[in-house]
Amino acid sequence: MSDFTHEKLLVIDFGGQYNQLVARRVRECHVYCEIYSYRTPIEQIRQMNPKGIILTGGPDSVYAEGAATCSPELFELGVPVLGLCYGAQLMMQVLGGEVTRAPEREYGKTEVLIDKPSSPLYTGIDSPTVCWMSHNDYIARAAEGFEITAHTRNCPVASAENPAKQLYAIQFHPEVLHTEHGFEMLQHFVLDVCGCSGDWRMDDFADRTIAALKNKIGDGKVLCALSGGVDSSVAAVLLSKAVGKNLTCVFVDHGLLRKNEGDLVEGVFGDNGIYDLNFIRVNAQERFYIKLAGVDEPERKRKIIGEEFIRVFEEEAKKIGRVDYLVQGTIYPDVVESGLGGESVTIKSHHNVGGLPDYVDFKEIIEPLRDLFKDEVRALGLHLGIPEKLIMRQPFPGPGLGIRIIGDITAEKVHMVQEADAIFREEMERAGINKEASQYYAALTNMRSVGVMGDERTYDYAIALRSVNTVDFMTADVTEIPYDVLKTVMTRIINEVEHVNRVFYDITSKPPATIEME
């Protein structure tokens, strides 16, 4: 995918829930990596000339009929291979070891006893060490040529290695934070075993990307759908630095943004902004409200918002005239979750990856952030000089407040959730805990109940507050907001936001819940 690195690792995905997290951990070592399905032909893997390969976990038993597998040739490429959980078991089975149902299932934090402290993966790590286990099967017998390097009370082969062939198998998950020294173990594999230099940096990515865009586009005309979010903003700035006034950014304000957000975007990118580009703001709020009238099913709302956005965007594009390229702020998780990078079956309906929109007729799409994770996009944005107030804003879904309003959408409901959300954000900042939480917002439930305000009974809506702490947005824990802060937020929302008479705080983790409300 990327031509911006002289060395990379491959993450081979067997359907594990942590596939993106493994790749992010490698990127944190400043080494570029990509995720590929286990179905990727061995010849294609060989041609990519990776510095190393990591096999992810997976949901199946390696000995089950039809289970995901790999060719023995994968272990004969002459590059280091690290198997994690299912990947470790598969390595053993393919190479002649034995994997069976474990007498006792291991799940959660587990004490691992290191049998070979000199193993390159365990350099500087004391025994015992706490690791995250999640398996029903275990390696009953290591393959020939492998030495057992760690065990647990219930698992005879917690890790094993064949240094001569640079093959390493780990039964636990070093990529999750619950494994105390997991990042160090992965770092040892990436830098010490694979011999990577660890020199993949955002400044180098920016310079190479801008140069590549200049070379590709030349004097072509470029159009960018600027949502005002982090991804599209960083993509727009990259293109502005590459082609200047040959870039036109169309900002469609669909009326589902946070309070004053449209003005913030215009202030950064508009005529009085700091960037050399053409900026068009389309105020289409009423148009979207009409289309969404009476629609309460979440997926329908998403599709209506996405389709109407494209129609508005197309109308503006026709007014501009010649356009050669369309810019999208696609990032790497979009690619993976759209089924193009690994084994993920979660396809998000508002993603548009790998092809032109149905309603737009352009020659080619440019996706300059396609290889980056969200934290890398933020780092790139700060490097490019984009104001921190824009880059470090709370994550915001493409359909906007449309998925933070349960039930049908009206202008009045949008105003209610905008005001409540603004109050919540103000009080989090005032309390100095806004940077402790990874994401926090207010949502409008579809529940109405009786209340008493003054001497009158009311029958009004409830606002739900949500705040989570997370590293990767794949799992999340609730933020422990001090009670006095929550009480202040509740009091202000009840007093300042009309038609709201209750405020709840959602304390559900992810899983079982999601982060967004719908």
Side-chain angles (χ1 to χ4, degrees):
M1 289 168 61
S2 173
D3 296 323
F4 303 144
T5 178
H6 62 281
E7 59 182 19
K8 68 179 175 184
L9 262 68
L10 301 185
V11 173
I12 305 299
D13 180 15
F14 291 90
Q17 61 179 317
Y18 301 129
N19 61 354
Q20 292 187 43
L21 187 53
V22 174
R24 286 186 72 255
R25 293 287 178 261
V26 175
R27 300 276 187 96
E28 289 170 12
C29 298
H30 299 294
V31 174
Y32 183 74
C33 72
E34 295 173 351
I35 301 171
Y36 287 89
S37 166
Y38 71 89
R39 296 181 175 86
T40 305
I42 192 69
E43 188 55 40
Q44 182 180 343
I45 292 175
R46 181 181 286 109
Q47 290 174 358
M48 286 187 276
N49 192 30
K51 294 280 287 186
I53 297 171
I54 299 178
L55 313 181
T56 74
D60 302 321
S61 294
V62 295
Y63 50 78
E65 185 177 354
T69 188
C70 66
S71 167
E73 292 180 73
L74 186 68
F75 306 108
E76 301 293 338
L77 294 176
V79 301
V81 181
L82 172 64
L84 307 179
C85 198
Y86 183 94
Q89 295 172 5
L90 183 63
M91 180 186 292
M92 292 298 106
Q93 186 197 52
V94 170
L95 296 178
E98 182 183 359
V99 178
T100 64
R101 175 70 65 174
E104 285 190 52
R105 176 177 181 265
E106 278 187 322
Y107 183 83
K109 292 183 178 180
T110 305
E111 193 173 76
V112 172
L113 302 167
I114 298 174
D115 299 311
K116 185 181 178 183
S118 62
S119 167
L121 300 188
Y122 295 133
T123 300
I125 299 173
D126 294 331
S127 179
T129 183
V130 175
C131 302
W132 184 261
M133 288 283 191
S134 179
H135 64 98
N136 292 314
D137 299 331
Y138 75 165
I139 300 167
R141 177 174 54 82
E144 184 177 350
F146 281 81
E147 178 183 0
I148 297 173
T149 56
H151 71 281
T152 72
R153 183 173 63 86
N154 297 318
C155 184
V157 187
S159 64
E161 66 184 27
N162 183 334
K165 292 191 174 182
Q166 295 184 296
L167 303 178
Y168 299 83
I170 295 179
Q171 180 60 69
F172 50 87
H173 287 277
E175 68 272 23
V176 301
L177 294 180
H178 302 301
T179 298
E180 291 181 345
H181 298 284
F183 178 69
E184 294 168 56
M185 297 174 193
L186 287 174
Q187 196 172 39
H188 288 320
F189 176 75
V190 171
L191 301 181
D192 301 335
V193 176
C194 297
C196 294
S197 59
D199 61 358
W200 193 67
R201 298 288 196 279
M202 280 301 102
D203 54 353
D204 180 59
F205 178 89
D207 293 343
R208 289 175 179 268
T209 300
I210 292 168
L213 290 170
K214 286 181 179 179
N215 182 62
K216 179 182 182 65
I217 297 169
D219 62 354
K221 300 295 183 181
V222 184
L223 182 62
C224 175
L226 182 62
S227 70
V230 174
D231 304 333
S232 66
S233 296
V234 174
V237 172
L238 274 174
L239 266 297
S240 74
K241 290 183 177 293
V243 301
K245 285 291 187 180
N246 278 351
L247 170 67
T248 298
C249 290
V250 175
F251 171 50
V252 179
D253 187 344
H254 49 34
L256 300 169
L257 300 173
R258 288 169 288 204
K259 184 177 180 180
N260 299 328
E261 196 156 45
D263 295 337
L264 170 63
V265 174
E266 185 170 4
V268 173
F269 292 99
D271 293 339
N272 297 320
I274 59 177
Y275 297 108
D276 184 31
L277 50 82
N278 301 304
F279 178 83
I280 299 172
R281 178 175 179 174
V282 184
N283 293 310
Q285 294 91 331
E286 291 303 318
R287 179 169 173 173
F288 278 84
Y289 295 159
I290 291 171
K291 287 286 185 179
L292 291 165
V295 178
D296 58 9
E297 201 276 317
E299 192 63 16
R300 277 197 65 205
K301 287 194 287 187
R302 289 176 184 269
K303 288 181 178 178
I304 289 171
I305 293 167
E307 289 172 2
E308 195 62 20
F309 182 95
I310 291 295
R311 290 192 178 101
V312 174
F313 185 66
E314 181 194 31
E315 291 169 10
E316 293 302 317
K318 289 178 178 177
K319 295 176 186 177
I320 294 170
R322 171 193 159 198
V323 174
D324 301 302
Y325 299 95
L326 173 68
V327 179
Q328 288 188 171
T330 306
I331 63 175
Y332 199 47
D334 298 339
V335 175
V336 176
E337 291 171 7
S338 295
L340 301 178
E343 280 300 300
S344 173
V345 295
T346 305
I347 301 177
K348 295 187 178 179
S349 58
H350 60 274
H351 286 169
N352 183 20
V353 180
L356 290 169
D358 294 339
Y359 303 106
V360 183
D361 183 21
F362 297 123
K363 181 170 64 177
E364 187 177 346
I365 279 182
I366 293 177
E367 298 171 313
L369 308 178
R370 186 182 174 92
D371 295 327
L372 302 184
F373 286 100
K374 177 70 81 173
D375 54 332
E376 294 170 329
V377 174
R378 292 189 190 278
L380 176 60
L382 293 175
H383 170 74
L384 292 170
I386 301 176
E388 184 175 348
K389 64 181 179 180
L390 194 155
I391 286 298
M392 303 309 293
R393 285 182 306 160
Q394 291 287 300
F396 196 57
L401 299 179
I403 62 169
R404 292 183 184 172
I405 297 174
I406 311 302
D408 66 325
I409 296 172
T410 66
E412 182 181 48
K413 287 183 177 181
V414 171
H415 178 73
M416 290 161 62
V417 76
Q418 283 177 332
E419 294 298 322
D421 183 72
I423 289 169
F424 189 25
R425 287 186 284 125
E426 286 171 14
E427 293 302 329
M428 289 285 281
E429 292 175 15
R430 183 173 288 120
I433 56 177
N434 56 305
K435 292 186 178 180
E436 296 176 15
S438 305
Q439 184 176 17
Y440 55 93
Y441 56 85
L444 181 65
T445 73
N446 202 27
M447 186 190 83
R448 299 182 72 182
S449 62
V450 174
V452 178
M453 298 181 73
D455 295 324
E456 297 181 354
R457 289 165 64 87
T458 61
Y459 184 62
D460 280 326
Y461 288 95
I463 286 286
L465 305 177
R466 183 81 161 128
S467 181
V468 296
N469 295 343
T470 179
V471 172
D472 48 44
F473 287 87
M474 299 171 198
T475 61
D477 291 320
V478 64
T479 305
E480 295 186 15
I481 300 175
Y483 178 72
D484 61 335
V485 176
L486 287 174
K487 189 173 181 179
T488 299
V489 174
M490 178 276 296
T491 301
R492 285 194 59 194
I493 289 175
I494 296 297
N495 289 336
E496 299 175 32
V497 183
E498 291 186 3
H499 304 299
V500 174
N501 64 2
R502 288 181 187 266
V503 177
F504 299 109
Y505 184 47
D506 182 355
I507 64 169
T508 319
S509 62
K510 176 188 178 182
T514 60
I515 293 176
E516 294 292 345
M517 297 300 292
E518 292 194 285

